Amino acid sequence: MIRNGHGAAGGAEPPGPEGRRAVRVWCDGCYDMVHYGHSNQLRQARAMGDHLIVGVHTDEEISKHKGPPVFTQEERYKMVRAIKWVDEVVPAAPYVTTLETLDKHNCDFCVHGNDITLTVDGRDTYEEVKQAGRYRECRRTQGVSTTDLVGRMLLVTKAHHSGHEISSEYREYADNFGKCPGGRNPWTGVSQFLQTSQKIIQFASGKEPQPGETVIYVAGAFDLFHIGHVDFLEKVHGLAERPYVIAGLHFDQEVNHYKGKNYPIMNLHERTLSVLACRYVSEVVIGAPYAVTAELLDHFKVDLVCHGKTEIVPDKDGSDPYQEPKRRGIFCQIDSGNDLTTDLIVQRIIKNRLEYEARNQKKEAKELAFLEARRRQEAQRERESDCDF
């Protein structure tokens, strides 16, 4: 069991408010390609209690019930661990949530989003805990899902990324995939996420740097926030005894300029929430300048600027974007030991494209069958009820 987050490190969890017994909450899932929708679910679940335990399914279980995951189970365990609202991670959690599981981990109830999760034979995975009254529901985050993100990445293989005229195949696919009037971003193409200041407030810590803390600045796209980013930020966070890590996120147009194709896959607002959910980040600069300027360093009173081992692309005028921190002697390159990039994730998807598309189609077919069965049951109950009069 991996412990982290709100609980006391290495000891017993703190009691609830006013000395009452702490309310322990259980969540579980695949947490494949973790995004801000997952983080928002865990944030809501954590708010329902005092201690959040998250069970993560194995690759074998996911493949059996849904199809192949994009990330390995070890990568998924670590991603969930990095979400700041999570207190414990339980590896190899069973796919079907039972009362036995809740009791084993001393959990009062489990929390899941208001979407459907089914086994390979079409059963509701939360049926048992629902019937026992130990199930709570939180609102699903609109505009994003793992299925949605896989679809966005598959668009990278379409002809329009070469800069030629948009093909009719791509146009039809984009029109049918995630289209939302007024919700599309010119760079991500299919995102229907609408940002609000309230959502940022919910994700942000709201804490300013305190005396004695080391302010560390990092910048980048942080697109499709993944385990490579987490390993980098964890290393950065460990550079100081009391770190205050600020992540500067570049505008979509800036990212598209230096990455090309249809990057970023997630728009700036989506990337902001993904990074804010990370326990190693204290603050995010939304739409940071590509070049780390003297004004930025002075404004945030930056002590150290870090960059990973990825290539540093020159600014539009050919200059080094880290010229100023290097001049001040506060620039540091960090080797996270993880070479995973957004490009490599996209390559994983493309390599198994047919398999992933089949997975998504199977998932949709199961959900439709489940809803149809539920509709028929409700109609039958109504007919039986009418017969009683």
Side-chain angles (χ1 to χ4, degrees), residues 79-126:
M79 278 301 297
V80 175
R81 231 184 123 199
I83 297 174
K84 63 185 179 184
W85 297 287
V86 176
D87 296 297
E88 297 179 27
V89 170
V90 176
Y95 197 80
V96 175
T97 308
T98 63
L99 294 174
E100 181 184 357
T101 297
L102 297 189
D103 292 340
K104 178 181 178 180
H105 298 284
N106 300 315
C107 291
D108 296 84
F109 53 85
C110 77
V111 177
H112 186 66
N114 56 345
D115 55 334
I116 304 166
T117 304
L118 304 173
T119 62
V120 66
D121 54 0
R123 293 185 297 111
D124 185 347
T125 58
Y126 295 98

mmCIF file of all heavy atoms in Angstrom, residues 79-126:
data_model
loop_
_atom_site.group_PDB
_atom_site.id
_atom_site.type_symbol
_atom_site.label_atom_id
_atom_site.label_comp_id
_atom_site.label_asym_id
_atom_site.label_seq_id
_atom_site.Cartn_x
_atom_site.Cartn_y
_atom_site.Cartn_z
ATOM 1 N N MET A 79 0.836 7.532 -11.252
ATOM 2 C CA MET A 79 0.060 8.713 -11.652
ATOM 3 C C MET A 79 -0.981 9.064 -10.600
ATOM 4 O O MET A 79 -1.154 10.235 -10.236
ATOM 5 C CB MET A 79 -0.631 8.463 -12.993
ATOM 6 C CG MET A 79 0.244 8.681 -14.207
ATOM 7 S SD MET A 79 0.930 10.352 -14.357
ATOM 8 C CE MET A 79 -0.567 11.321 -14.520
ATOM 9 N N VAL A 80 -1.683 8.054 -10.102
ATOM 10 C CA VAL A 80 -2.711 8.304 -9.087
ATOM 11 C C VAL A 80 -2.063 8.803 -7.804
ATOM 12 O O VAL A 80 -2.580 9.690 -7.130
ATOM 13 C CB VAL A 80 -3.554 7.034 -8.835
ATOM 14 C CG1 VAL A 80 -4.543 7.254 -7.693
ATOM 15 C CG2 VAL A 80 -4.309 6.646 -10.100
ATOM 16 N N ARG A 81 -0.922 8.224 -7.469
ATOM 17 C CA ARG A 81 -0.170 8.652 -6.299
ATOM 18 C C ARG A 81 0.150 10.141 -6.331
ATOM 19 O O ARG A 81 0.236 10.793 -5.288
ATOM 20 C CB ARG A 81 1.152 7.883 -6.286
ATOM 21 C CG ARG A 81 1.472 7.204 -4.979
ATOM 22 C CD ARG A 81 2.845 6.574 -5.082
ATOM 23 N NE ARG A 81 3.720 7.069 -4.047
ATOM 24 C CZ ARG A 81 5.030 6.999 -4.084
ATOM 25 N NH1 ARG A 81 5.626 6.481 -5.132
ATOM 26 N NH2 ARG A 81 5.747 7.451 -3.107
ATOM 27 N N ALA A 82 0.355 10.675 -7.525
ATOM 28 C CA ALA A 82 0.775 12.074 -7.668
ATOM 29 C C ALA A 82 -0.375 13.063 -7.544
ATOM 30 O O ALA A 82 -0.148 14.271 -7.496
ATOM 31 C CB ALA A 82 1.465 12.264 -9.027
ATOM 32 N N ILE A 83 -1.619 12.586 -7.509
ATOM 33 C CA ILE A 83 -2.775 13.491 -7.382
ATOM 34 C C ILE A 83 -2.913 13.920 -5.930
ATOM 35 O O ILE A 83 -2.960 13.085 -5.022
ATOM 36 C CB ILE A 83 -4.060 12.804 -7.882
ATOM 37 C CG1 ILE A 83 -3.916 12.484 -9.377
ATOM 38 C CG2 ILE A 83 -5.283 13.687 -7.646
ATOM 39 C CD1 ILE A 83 -5.055 11.677 -9.956
ATOM 40 N N LYS A 84 -2.978 15.201 -5.702
ATOM 41 C CA LYS A 84 -2.815 15.734 -4.345
ATOM 42 C C LYS A 84 -3.946 15.413 -3.384
ATOM 43 O O LYS A 84 -3.779 15.559 -2.176
ATOM 44 C CB LYS A 84 -2.592 17.244 -4.405
ATOM 45 C CG LYS A 84 -3.747 18.055 -4.979
ATOM 46 C CD LYS A 84 -3.325 19.510 -5.085
ATOM 47 C CE LYS A 84 -4.401 20.386 -5.678
ATOM 48 N NZ LYS A 84 -3.944 21.788 -5.855
ATOM 49 N N TRP A 85 -5.091 14.953 -3.868
ATOM 50 C CA TRP A 85 -6.198 14.625 -2.971
ATOM 51 C C TRP A 85 -6.178 13.167 -2.520
ATOM 52 O O TRP A 85 -7.026 12.755 -1.739
ATOM 53 C CB TRP A 85 -7.530 14.952 -3.641
ATOM 54 C CG TRP A 85 -7.661 16.415 -3.919
ATOM 55 C CD1 TRP A 85 -7.882 17.416 -3.015
ATOM 56 C CD2 TRP A 85 -7.555 17.053 -5.201
ATOM 57 N NE1 TRP A 85 -7.919 18.633 -3.653
ATOM 58 C CE2 TRP A 85 -7.721 18.442 -4.990
ATOM 59 C CE3 TRP A 85 -7.343 16.586 -6.497
ATOM 60 C CZ2 TRP A 85 -7.685 19.366 -6.034
ATOM 61 C CZ3 TRP A 85 -7.296 17.501 -7.540
ATOM 62 C CH2 TRP A 85 -7.462 18.871 -7.299
ATOM 63 N N VAL A 86 -5.229 12.399 -3.018
ATOM 64 C CA VAL A 86 -5.171 10.967 -2.720
ATOM 65 C C VAL A 86 -4.288 10.718 -1.495
ATOM 66 O O VAL A 86 -3.153 11.201 -1.437
ATOM 67 C CB VAL A 86 -4.634 10.182 -3.930
ATOM 68 C CG1 VAL A 86 -4.471 8.703 -3.599
ATOM 69 C CG2 VAL A 86 -5.563 10.363 -5.127
ATOM 70 N N ASP A 87 -4.806 9.956 -0.529
ATOM 71 C CA ASP A 87 -4.043 9.626 0.672
ATOM 72 C C ASP A 87 -3.365 8.262 0.585
ATOM 73 O O ASP A 87 -2.275 8.077 1.102
ATOM 74 C CB ASP A 87 -4.964 9.657 1.899
ATOM 75 C CG ASP A 87 -5.520 11.050 2.163
ATOM 76 O OD1 ASP A 87 -4.716 11.945 2.446
ATOM 77 O OD2 ASP A 87 -6.747 11.231 2.059
ATOM 78 N N GLU A 88 -4.013 7.300 -0.035
ATOM 79 C CA GLU A 88 -3.440 5.960 -0.190
ATOM 80 C C GLU A 88 -3.808 5.414 -1.561
ATOM 81 O O GLU A 88 -4.879 5.704 -2.090
ATOM 82 C CB GLU A 88 -3.979 4.984 0.869
ATOM 83 C CG GLU A 88 -3.641 5.328 2.299
ATOM 84 C CD GLU A 88 -4.241 4.317 3.267
ATOM 85 O OE1 GLU A 88 -4.456 3.145 2.858
ATOM 86 O OE2 GLU A 88 -4.513 4.692 4.423
ATOM 87 N N VAL A 89 -2.903 4.592 -2.095
ATOM 88 C CA VAL A 89 -3.178 3.877 -3.346
ATOM 89 C C VAL A 89 -3.116 2.382 -3.059
ATOM 90 O O VAL A 89 -2.169 1.907 -2.421
ATOM 91 C CB VAL A 89 -2.165 4.262 -4.448
ATOM 92 C CG1 VAL A 89 -2.308 3.331 -5.648
ATOM 93 C CG2 VAL A 89 -2.370 5.704 -4.879
ATOM 94 N N VAL A 90 -4.118 1.649 -3.494
ATOM 95 C CA VAL A 90 -4.155 0.192 -3.353
ATOM 96 C C VAL A 90 -3.959 -0.419 -4.738
ATOM 97 O O VAL A 90 -4.868 -0.359 -5.574
ATOM 98 C CB VAL A 90 -5.494 -0.283 -2.745
ATOM 99 C CG1 VAL A 90 -5.541 -1.810 -2.695
ATOM 100 C CG2 VAL A 90 -5.697 0.306 -1.359
ATOM 101 N N PRO A 91 -2.784 -0.986 -5.010
ATOM 102 C CA PRO A 91 -2.562 -1.635 -6.306
ATOM 103 C C PRO A 91 -3.389 -2.901 -6.447
ATOM 104 O O PRO A 91 -3.784 -3.521 -5.446
ATOM 105 C CB PRO A 91 -1.060 -1.976 -6.269
ATOM 106 C CG PRO A 91 -0.479 -1.139 -5.164
ATOM 107 C CD PRO A 91 -1.573 -0.985 -4.165
ATOM 108 N N ALA A 92 -3.656 -3.290 -7.676
ATOM 109 C CA ALA A 92 -4.350 -4.539 -8.007
ATOM 110 C C ALA A 92 -5.714 -4.640 -7.336
ATOM 111 O O ALA A 92 -6.103 -5.707 -6.841
ATOM 112 C CB ALA A 92 -3.481 -5.742 -7.633
ATOM 113 N N ALA A 93 -6.450 -3.538 -7.321
ATOM 114 C CA ALA A 93 -7.802 -3.549 -6.755
ATOM 115 C C ALA A 93 -8.729 -4.354 -7.659
ATOM 116 O O ALA A 93 -8.608 -4.312 -8.885
ATOM 117 C CB ALA A 93 -8.329 -2.126 -6.613
ATOM 118 N N PRO A 94 -9.678 -5.107 -7.084
ATOM 119 C CA PRO A 94 -10.613 -5.890 -7.906
ATOM 120 C C PRO A 94 -11.471 -4.996 -8.786
ATOM 121 O O PRO A 94 -11.805 -3.873 -8.394
ATOM 122 C CB PRO A 94 -11.453 -6.649 -6.882
ATOM 123 C CG PRO A 94 -11.305 -5.898 -5.606
ATOM 124 C CD PRO A 94 -9.937 -5.283 -5.643
ATOM 125 N N TYR A 95 -11.837 -5.501 -9.973
ATOM 126 C CA TYR A 95 -12.604 -4.703 -10.920
ATOM 127 C C TYR A 95 -14.022 -4.457 -10.430
ATOM 128 O O TYR A 95 -14.600 -3.395 -10.666
ATOM 129 C CB TYR A 95 -12.636 -5.403 -12.287
ATOM 130 C CG TYR A 95 -13.035 -4.486 -13.422
ATOM 131 C CD1 TYR A 95 -12.103 -3.612 -13.983
ATOM 132 C CD2 TYR A 95 -14.332 -4.488 -13.921
ATOM 133 C CE1 TYR A 95 -12.466 -2.763 -15.012
ATOM 134 C CE2 TYR A 95 -14.697 -3.639 -14.955
ATOM 135 C CZ TYR A 95 -13.774 -2.781 -15.497
ATOM 136 O OH TYR A 95 -14.135 -1.931 -16.502
ATOM 137 N N VAL A 96 -14.598 -5.447 -9.739
ATOM 138 C CA VAL A 96 -15.942 -5.300 -9.174
ATOM 139 C C VAL A 96 -15.804 -4.882 -7.710
ATOM 140 O O VAL A 96 -15.119 -5.539 -6.924
ATOM 141 C CB VAL A 96 -16.735 -6.618 -9.280
ATOM 142 C CG1 VAL A 96 -18.089 -6.479 -8.582
ATOM 143 C CG2 VAL A 96 -16.924 -6.999 -10.741
ATOM 144 N N THR A 97 -16.441 -3.786 -7.341
ATOM 145 C CA THR A 97 -16.340 -3.254 -5.988
ATOM 146 C C THR A 97 -17.332 -3.965 -5.074
ATOM 147 O O THR A 97 -18.536 -3.946 -5.314
ATOM 148 C CB THR A 97 -16.623 -1.741 -5.988
ATOM 149 O OG1 THR A 97 -15.796 -1.118 -6.970
ATOM 150 C CG2 THR A 97 -16.329 -1.133 -4.626
ATOM 151 N N THR A 98 -16.812 -4.590 -4.028
ATOM 152 C CA THR A 98 -17.649 -5.372 -3.120
ATOM 153 C C THR A 98 -17.600 -4.808 -1.707
ATOM 154 O O THR A 98 -16.711 -4.015 -1.368
ATOM 155 C CB THR A 98 -17.184 -6.832 -3.085
ATOM 156 O OG1 THR A 98 -15.840 -6.868 -2.555
ATOM 157 C CG2 THR A 98 -17.209 -7.456 -4.467
ATOM 158 N N LEU A 99 -18.526 -5.253 -0.883
ATOM 159 C CA LEU A 99 -18.518 -4.876 0.536
ATOM 160 C C LEU A 99 -17.264 -5.414 1.218
ATOM 161 O O LEU A 99 -16.716 -4.777 2.124
ATOM 162 C CB LEU A 99 -19.770 -5.413 1.223
ATOM 163 C CG LEU A 99 -21.101 -4.815 0.752
ATOM 164 C CD1 LEU A 99 -22.271 -5.541 1.410
ATOM 165 C CD2 LEU A 99 -21.174 -3.313 1.066
ATOM 166 N N GLU A 100 -16.805 -6.562 0.769
ATOM 167 C CA GLU A 100 -15.580 -7.148 1.326
ATOM 168 C C GLU A 100 -14.395 -6.202 1.141
ATOM 169 O O GLU A 100 -13.581 -6.025 2.052
ATOM 170 C CB GLU A 100 -15.291 -8.495 0.658
ATOM 171 C CG GLU A 100 -14.047 -9.185 1.196
ATOM 172 C CD GLU A 100 -13.725 -10.481 0.464
ATOM 173 O OE1 GLU A 100 -14.506 -10.865 -0.435
ATOM 174 O OE2 GLU A 100 -12.705 -11.101 0.792
ATOM 175 N N THR A 101 -14.300 -5.586 -0.040
ATOM 176 C CA THR A 101 -13.206 -4.645 -0.305
ATOM 177 C C THR A 101 -13.307 -3.429 0.607
ATOM 178 O O THR A 101 -12.299 -2.988 1.184
ATOM 179 C CB THR A 101 -13.224 -4.202 -1.779
ATOM 180 O OG1 THR A 101 -13.010 -5.330 -2.619
ATOM 181 C CG2 THR A 101 -12.140 -3.163 -2.047
ATOM 182 N N LEU A 102 -14.507 -2.864 0.731
ATOM 183 C CA LEU A 102 -14.681 -1.692 1.594
ATOM 184 C C LEU A 102 -14.328 -2.025 3.038
ATOM 185 O O LEU A 102 -13.648 -1.241 3.720
ATOM 186 C CB LEU A 102 -16.127 -1.182 1.516
ATOM 187 C CG LEU A 102 -16.628 -0.671 0.162
ATOM 188 C CD1 LEU A 102 -17.999 -0.002 0.333
ATOM 189 C CD2 LEU A 102 -15.650 0.294 -0.474
ATOM 190 N N ASP A 103 -14.765 -3.181 3.507
ATOM 191 C CA ASP A 103 -14.487 -3.574 4.887
ATOM 192 C C ASP A 103 -13.003 -3.855 5.105
ATOM 193 O O ASP A 103 -12.441 -3.509 6.156
ATOM 194 C CB ASP A 103 -15.302 -4.817 5.257
ATOM 195 C CG ASP A 103 -16.801 -4.527 5.336
ATOM 196 O OD1 ASP A 103 -17.165 -3.337 5.481
ATOM 197 O OD2 ASP A 103 -17.603 -5.479 5.237
ATOM 198 N N LYS A 104 -12.366 -4.455 4.130
ATOM 199 C CA LYS A 104 -10.940 -4.777 4.235
ATOM 200 C C LYS A 104 -10.108 -3.519 4.455
ATOM 201 O O LYS A 104 -9.120 -3.536 5.208
ATOM 202 C CB LYS A 104 -10.477 -5.493 2.959
ATOM 203 C CG LYS A 104 -8.991 -5.840 2.944
ATOM 204 C CD LYS A 104 -8.608 -6.521 1.647
ATOM 205 C CE LYS A 104 -7.107 -6.818 1.599
ATOM 206 N NZ LYS A 104 -6.721 -7.490 0.326
ATOM 207 N N HIS A 105 -10.525 -2.424 3.827
ATOM 208 C CA HIS A 105 -9.769 -1.171 3.939
ATOM 209 C C HIS A 105 -10.454 -0.169 4.875
ATOM 210 O O HIS A 105 -10.120 1.018 4.862
ATOM 211 C CB HIS A 105 -9.561 -0.578 2.545
ATOM 212 C CG HIS A 105 -8.758 -1.475 1.636
ATOM 213 N ND1 HIS A 105 -7.389 -1.603 1.749
ATOM 214 C CD2 HIS A 105 -9.138 -2.322 0.647
ATOM 215 C CE1 HIS A 105 -6.952 -2.468 0.845
ATOM 216 N NE2 HIS A 105 -7.999 -2.912 0.163
ATOM 217 N N ASN A 106 -11.386 -0.667 5.680
ATOM 218 C CA ASN A 106 -12.074 0.156 6.691
ATOM 219 C C ASN A 106 -12.717 1.405 6.093
ATOM 220 O O ASN A 106 -12.658 2.492 6.679
ATOM 221 C CB ASN A 106 -11.096 0.569 7.807
ATOM 222 C CG ASN A 106 -10.505 -0.631 8.522
ATOM 223 O OD1 ASN A 106 -11.229 -1.567 8.858
ATOM 224 N ND2 ASN A 106 -9.197 -0.621 8.726
ATOM 225 N N CYS A 107 -13.306 1.248 4.914
ATOM 226 C CA CYS A 107 -13.924 2.381 4.236
ATOM 227 C C CYS A 107 -15.423 2.444 4.538
ATOM 228 O O CYS A 107 -16.105 1.410 4.567
ATOM 229 C CB CYS A 107 -13.704 2.289 2.726
ATOM 230 S SG CYS A 107 -11.987 2.553 2.254
ATOM 231 N N ASP A 108 -15.922 3.644 4.754
ATOM 232 C CA ASP A 108 -17.330 3.836 5.058
ATOM 233 C C ASP A 108 -18.203 3.660 3.818
ATOM 234 O O ASP A 108 -19.303 3.108 3.890
ATOM 235 C CB ASP A 108 -17.546 5.229 5.652
ATOM 236 C CG ASP A 108 -16.822 5.385 6.978
ATOM 237 O OD1 ASP A 108 -15.616 5.701 6.964
ATOM 238 O OD2 ASP A 108 -17.453 5.169 8.018
ATOM 239 N N PHE A 109 -17.730 4.158 2.692
ATOM 240 C CA PHE A 109 -18.477 4.063 1.440
ATOM 241 C C PHE A 109 -17.524 4.282 0.278
ATOM 242 O O PHE A 109 -16.365 4.670 0.464
ATOM 243 C CB PHE A 109 -19.618 5.096 1.397
ATOM 244 C CG PHE A 109 -19.183 6.508 1.660
ATOM 245 C CD1 PHE A 109 -18.697 7.322 0.642
ATOM 246 C CD2 PHE A 109 -19.254 7.043 2.948
ATOM 247 C CE1 PHE A 109 -18.295 8.627 0.877
ATOM 248 C CE2 PHE A 109 -18.850 8.354 3.201
ATOM 249 C CZ PHE A 109 -18.368 9.147 2.167
ATOM 250 N N CYS A 110 -18.013 4.015 -0.937
ATOM 251 C CA CYS A 110 -17.218 4.276 -2.130
ATOM 252 C C CYS A 110 -17.882 5.387 -2.944
ATOM 253 O O CYS A 110 -19.084 5.638 -2.818
ATOM 254 C CB CYS A 110 -17.031 3.020 -2.967
ATOM 255 S SG CYS A 110 -18.454 2.550 -3.943
ATOM 256 N N VAL A 111 -17.090 6.040 -3.752
ATOM 257 C CA VAL A 111 -17.569 7.151 -4.586
ATOM 258 C C VAL A 111 -17.192 6.880 -6.034
ATOM 259 O O VAL A 111 -16.076 6.438 -6.328
ATOM 260 C CB VAL A 111 -16.956 8.495 -4.134
ATOM 261 C CG1 VAL A 111 -17.397 9.629 -5.065
ATOM 262 C CG2 VAL A 111 -17.343 8.812 -2.698
ATOM 263 N N HIS A 112 -18.145 7.138 -6.926
ATOM 264 C CA HIS A 112 -17.890 6.987 -8.357
ATOM 265 C C HIS A 112 -18.644 8.087 -9.098
ATOM 266 O O HIS A 112 -19.600 8.663 -8.578
ATOM 267 C CB HIS A 112 -18.354 5.608 -8.843
ATOM 268 C CG HIS A 112 -17.987 5.324 -10.272
ATOM 269 N ND1 HIS A 112 -16.691 5.178 -10.693
ATOM 270 C CD2 HIS A 112 -18.756 5.161 -11.382
ATOM 271 C CE1 HIS A 112 -16.675 4.936 -11.983
ATOM 272 N NE2 HIS A 112 -17.912 4.928 -12.430
ATOM 273 N N GLY A 113 -18.213 8.375 -10.308
ATOM 274 C CA GLY A 113 -18.889 9.380 -11.126
ATOM 275 C C GLY A 113 -20.234 8.873 -11.616
ATOM 276 O O GLY A 113 -20.539 7.679 -11.529
ATOM 277 N N ASN A 114 -21.034 9.790 -12.140
ATOM 278 C CA ASN A 114 -22.376 9.409 -12.592
ATOM 279 C C ASN A 114 -22.367 8.873 -14.024
ATOM 280 O O ASN A 114 -23.198 9.219 -14.844
ATOM 281 C CB ASN A 114 -23.346 10.593 -12.465
ATOM 282 C CG ASN A 114 -22.870 11.819 -13.215
ATOM 283 O OD1 ASN A 114 -21.703 11.907 -13.604
ATOM 284 N ND2 ASN A 114 -23.750 12.773 -13.425
ATOM 285 N N ASP A 115 -21.368 8.008 -14.306
ATOM 286 C CA ASP A 115 -21.329 7.299 -15.581
ATOM 287 C C ASP A 115 -21.406 5.803 -15.285
ATOM 288 O O ASP A 115 -21.387 5.385 -14.129
ATOM 289 C CB ASP A 115 -20.059 7.646 -16.375
ATOM 290 C CG ASP A 115 -18.792 7.400 -15.563
ATOM 291 O OD1 ASP A 115 -18.859 7.440 -14.323
ATOM 292 O OD2 ASP A 115 -17.732 7.164 -16.165
ATOM 293 N N ILE A 116 -21.487 5.000 -16.307
ATOM 294 C CA ILE A 116 -21.712 3.570 -16.146
ATOM 295 C C ILE A 116 -20.390 2.811 -16.245
ATOM 296 O O ILE A 116 -19.600 3.040 -17.164
ATOM 297 C CB ILE A 116 -22.682 3.054 -17.218
ATOM 298 C CG1 ILE A 116 -23.996 3.831 -17.181
ATOM 299 C CG2 ILE A 116 -22.944 1.561 -17.041
ATOM 300 C CD1 ILE A 116 -24.854 3.608 -18.410
ATOM 301 N N THR A 117 -20.153 1.898 -15.296
ATOM 302 C CA THR A 117 -18.997 1.008 -15.364
ATOM 303 C C THR A 117 -19.507 -0.424 -15.331
ATOM 304 O O THR A 117 -20.196 -0.817 -14.380
ATOM 305 C CB THR A 117 -18.033 1.244 -14.179
ATOM 306 O OG1 THR A 117 -17.658 2.623 -14.157
ATOM 307 C CG2 THR A 117 -16.788 0.393 -14.323
ATOM 308 N N LEU A 118 -19.173 -1.186 -16.366
ATOM 309 C CA LEU A 118 -19.718 -2.543 -16.508
ATOM 310 C C LEU A 118 -18.619 -3.591 -16.593
ATOM 311 O O LEU A 118 -17.506 -3.308 -17.051
ATOM 312 C CB LEU A 118 -20.575 -2.623 -17.781
ATOM 313 C CG LEU A 118 -21.721 -1.616 -17.917
ATOM 314 C CD1 LEU A 118 -22.346 -1.721 -19.298
ATOM 315 C CD2 LEU A 118 -22.757 -1.833 -16.827
ATOM 316 N N THR A 119 -18.957 -4.797 -16.162
ATOM 317 C CA THR A 119 -18.050 -5.926 -16.330
ATOM 318 C C THR A 119 -18.128 -6.418 -17.769
ATOM 319 O O THR A 119 -18.961 -5.946 -18.556
ATOM 320 C CB THR A 119 -18.442 -7.082 -15.375
ATOM 321 O OG1 THR A 119 -19.766 -7.516 -15.723
ATOM 322 C CG2 THR A 119 -18.408 -6.639 -13.928
ATOM 323 N N VAL A 120 -17.307 -7.413 -18.084
ATOM 324 C CA VAL A 120 -17.283 -7.947 -19.443
ATOM 325 C C VAL A 120 -18.624 -8.559 -19.830
ATOM 326 O O VAL A 120 -18.999 -8.590 -21.009
ATOM 327 C CB VAL A 120 -16.138 -8.997 -19.580
ATOM 328 C CG1 VAL A 120 -16.418 -10.232 -18.718
ATOM 329 C CG2 VAL A 120 -15.907 -9.363 -21.036
ATOM 330 N N ASP A 121 -19.390 -9.043 -18.826
ATOM 331 C CA ASP A 121 -20.708 -9.621 -19.128
ATOM 332 C C ASP A 121 -21.849 -8.634 -18.905
ATOM 333 O O ASP A 121 -23.019 -9.027 -18.825
ATOM 334 C CB ASP A 121 -20.938 -10.898 -18.309
ATOM 335 C CG ASP A 121 -20.751 -10.679 -16.809
ATOM 336 O OD1 ASP A 121 -20.450 -9.538 -16.414
ATOM 337 O OD2 ASP A 121 -20.901 -11.645 -16.038
ATOM 338 N N GLY A 122 -21.514 -7.343 -18.795
ATOM 339 C CA GLY A 122 -22.549 -6.309 -18.774
ATOM 340 C C GLY A 122 -23.171 -6.000 -17.426
ATOM 341 O O GLY A 122 -24.224 -5.365 -17.358
ATOM 342 N N ARG A 123 -22.551 -6.422 -16.313
ATOM 343 C CA ARG A 123 -23.091 -6.130 -14.985
ATOM 344 C C ARG A 123 -22.503 -4.840 -14.422
ATOM 345 O O ARG A 123 -21.334 -4.517 -14.661
ATOM 346 C CB ARG A 123 -22.800 -7.289 -14.017
ATOM 347 C CG ARG A 123 -23.539 -8.578 -14.338
ATOM 348 C CD ARG A 123 -23.309 -9.646 -13.286
ATOM 349 N NE ARG A 123 -21.908 -10.043 -13.203
ATOM 350 C CZ ARG A 123 -21.118 -9.781 -12.167
ATOM 351 N NH1 ARG A 123 -21.574 -9.094 -11.138
ATOM 352 N NH2 ARG A 123 -19.856 -10.189 -12.165
ATOM 353 N N ASP A 124 -23.297 -4.119 -13.640
ATOM 354 C CA ASP A 124 -22.854 -2.902 -12.964
ATOM 355 C C ASP A 124 -21.822 -3.286 -11.898
ATOM 356 O O ASP A 124 -22.100 -4.075 -11.001
ATOM 357 C CB ASP A 124 -24.059 -2.219 -12.303
ATOM 358 C CG ASP A 124 -23.716 -0.880 -11.667
ATOM 359 O OD1 ASP A 124 -22.515 -0.577 -11.507
ATOM 360 O OD2 ASP A 124 -24.654 -0.135 -11.322
ATOM 361 N N THR A 125 -20.622 -2.727 -11.989
ATOM 362 C CA THR A 125 -19.555 -3.101 -11.059
ATOM 363 C C THR A 125 -19.807 -2.607 -9.634
ATOM 364 O O THR A 125 -19.130 -3.044 -8.698
ATOM 365 C CB THR A 125 -18.191 -2.562 -11.537
ATOM 366 O OG1 THR A 125 -18.269 -1.138 -11.653
ATOM 367 C CG2 THR A 125 -17.806 -3.157 -12.889
ATOM 368 N N TYR A 126 -20.763 -1.708 -9.456
ATOM 369 C CA TYR A 126 -21.048 -1.164 -8.120
ATOM 370 C C TYR A 126 -22.400 -1.647 -7.576
ATOM 371 O O TYR A 126 -22.911 -1.092 -6.600
ATOM 372 C CB TYR A 126 -21.015 0.367 -8.161
ATOM 373 C CG TYR A 126 -19.644 0.910 -8.480
ATOM 374 C CD1 TYR A 126 -19.313 1.298 -9.778
ATOM 375 C CD2 TYR A 126 -18.671 1.005 -7.495
ATOM 376 C CE1 TYR A 126 -18.048 1.768 -10.080
ATOM 377 C CE2 TYR A 126 -17.409 1.482 -7.785
ATOM 378 C CZ TYR A 126 -17.095 1.857 -9.077
ATOM 379 O OH TYR A 126 -15.835 2.318 -9.370
#
